[in-house]
Amino acid sequence: VTGEKLADEIGYPVMIKASAGGGGKGMRLVKEESQILSSLRGARSEAKAAFGNDAVYIDRKSTRLNSSH
């Protein structure tokens, strides 16, 4: 399954996260399909530079119903 297909199946917005990551490195918020390819490339590149591993995963971005926090 490609990143594009997975994001379409999950539904936008999605978060791309570095598998070996931490501290926000290799993390991208993708709000719409037109952003997915460049965001995947950027996240992989940043993850490779920071962690020596370009593996990423995609999660559904949760939205808060109450934004008072």
Side-chain angles (χ1 to χ4, degrees), residues 7-8 11-14 29-39:
D8 285 341
Y12 292 91
V14 298
L29 172 62
V30 183
K31 295 181 179 180
E32 56 190 46
E33 185 178 5
S34 65
Q35 302 171 321
I36 191 74
L37 290 176
S38 63
S39 295

Side-chain angles (χ1 to χ4, degrees), residues 6 15-21 26-27 40 54-59:
L6 182 58
M15 289 295 296
I16 300 172
K17 301 177 182 179
S19 296
M27 185 179 287
L40 279 167
D54 70 349
V56 296
Y57 64 97
I58 298 174
D59 273 341

